[in-house]
Amino acid sequence: MTLAKPARPSRSLPGFGLTLGFSLFYLSLLVLLPLSMVFLKTAGLSWEEFLGVVTDKRVVASYKLSFGTAFLAAVINLVFGILIAWVFTRYRFPFRRLLDGLIDLPFALPTAVAGIALTTLYAEQGWIGQWIPFKIVYTPIGITMALVFVGLPFVVRMVQPILQGLERELEEASYMMGATRLQTFQHIIFPEIVPAALTGFALTFARALGEYGSVVFIAGNMPMKTEITPLIIMTKLEQYDYAGATAIAVVMLVISFILLLCINGLQWWASRKTEEN
């Protein structure tokens, strides 16, 4: 008597080799090849020329501004994104669905339009800026505001589904056992949303780091003060200095990759700790 062979597990996409080949081809065509061309173009510079370009005082100042404002905007969106997601999932109020839909507006709105609107509102003679005692437009504060605007949806949309999927019975059981709301959030809710929040933070940081359209209007583009790195890259491209532009882009790419790798490692660690608990 022969034993029947166990049935193979069904796959939603048959043909692993074929689908993997198409995936790698698609990834290479849209991501790997363009990035490799940046490195190849930079290779035309000598090491001394490369260091001279990427360590120029004006370029270094733009690094500090771009990474500093991007990180600050990501932190602000992390805090308020969790708060907004909590409000939308835990409370019912008029026009909630409308406000929830408006969160995605930065995805659909052209970034240049956002930059012009923010500059108009917060200029010294603007509708809001005239009532603020300090200057916003053409300062790092204005740049941070623009980056917060374009990156807001990431944290909200990453955390919101996790909060919606949490069982209310766990929170009620925590209250029944005498825990306060802060303790319930700290020990029950927060560990569940940490991986999603860190993912939203990484996406916000990456988006802010490469943002150009919404920032170029509100920044003022003053060298050594409010000039972002993407603008310097664009300036060098307009001057046909392709090697210099790609050299700066390589530095941005490497630093961004290292930071995102660290954030993803932290996210993996948080997910593992959550599973163990």
Side-chain angles (χ1 to χ4, degrees):
M1 181 177 179
T2 59
L3 297 176
K5 294 181 179 181
R8 293 182 178 181
S10 59
R11 297 182 176 91
S12 57
L13 288 176
F16 172 74
L18 182 62
T19 54
L20 178 62
F22 274 115
S23 300
L24 292 177
F25 173 76
Y26 186 81
L27 180 64
S28 300
L29 187 64
L30 294 182
V31 179
L32 299 181
L33 283 178
L35 293 181
S36 64
M37 292 305 299
V38 173
F39 286 93
L40 288 175
K41 195 69 178 180
T42 306
L45 295 174
S46 65
W47 182 247
E48 291 76 14
E49 292 173 335
F50 175 80
L51 287 179
V53 171
V54 301
T55 59
D56 181 75
K57 291 183 179 180
R58 181 176 173 183
V59 177
V60 172
S62 73
Y63 293 152
K64 295 178 181 178
L65 180 65
S66 295
F67 282 99
T69 54
F71 182 80
L72 180 58
V75 171
I76 293 173
N77 276 331
L78 177 65
V79 175
F80 288 95
I82 294 175
L83 179 62
I84 293 172
W86 176 267
V87 170
F88 284 154
T89 54
R90 288 296 189 267
Y91 301 101
R92 297 294 180 267
F93 50 89
F95 306 109
R96 182 179 66 88
R97 292 185 180 275
L98 176 61
L99 294 175
D100 191 13
L102 289 177
I103 293 296
D104 295 324
L105 184 62
F107 286 152
L109 188 69
T111 55
V113 176
I116 294 173
L118 291 172
T119 304
T120 303
L121 284 174
Y122 292 100
E124 291 185 2
Q125 302 300 324
W127 290 355
I128 300 177
Q130 61 180 329
W131 306 106
I132 299 177
F134 53 89
K135 189 176 181 180
I136 292 180
V137 175
Y138 308 146
T139 67
I141 299 176
I143 298 174
T144 304
M145 289 184 60
L147 297 180
V148 168
F149 175 82
V150 299
L152 175 63
F154 290 105
V155 176
V156 177
R157 293 310 181 217
M158 291 302 299
V159 174
Q160 196 170 3
I162 306 301
L163 291 176
Q164 290 174 342
L166 286 178
E167 298 180 0
R168 296 292 184 91
E169 289 79 5
L170 295 176
E171 299 177 42
E172 294 174 357
S174 177
Y175 297 144
M176 295 277 296
M177 296 176 66
T180 63
R181 291 191 176 186
L182 180 60
Q183 291 173 331
T184 301
F185 179 82
Q186 181 180 356
H187 297 287
I188 303 298
I189 299 173
F190 185 71
E192 296 293 332
I193 66 174
V194 165
L198 289 177
T199 301
F201 176 86
L203 293 173
T204 303
F205 177 76
R207 170 67 188 274
L209 199 58
E211 181 59 29
Y212 177 78
S214 63
V215 177
V216 70
F217 292 101
I218 201 170
N221 310 320
M222 293 179 287
M224 307 294 294
K225 293 182 179 180
T226 60
E227 189 177 37
I228 58 175
T229 305
L231 179 63
I232 291 184
I233 295 175
M234 288 295 299
T235 302
K236 287 187 174 296
L237 289 175
E238 292 174 353
Q239 297 172 350
Y240 302 102
D241 184 8
Y242 300 120
T246 55
I248 300 173
V250 164
V251 173
M252 292 284 290
L253 178 62
V254 171
I255 297 177
S256 302
F257 179 78
I258 293 174
L259 291 175
L260 291 177
L261 187 64
C262 294
I263 294 172
N264 288 331
L266 183 61
Q267 177 192 355
W268 172 82
W269 175 82
S271 300
R272 189 173 181 180
K273 293 293 289 185
T274 302
E275 292 175 358
E276 291 177 355
N277 296 332

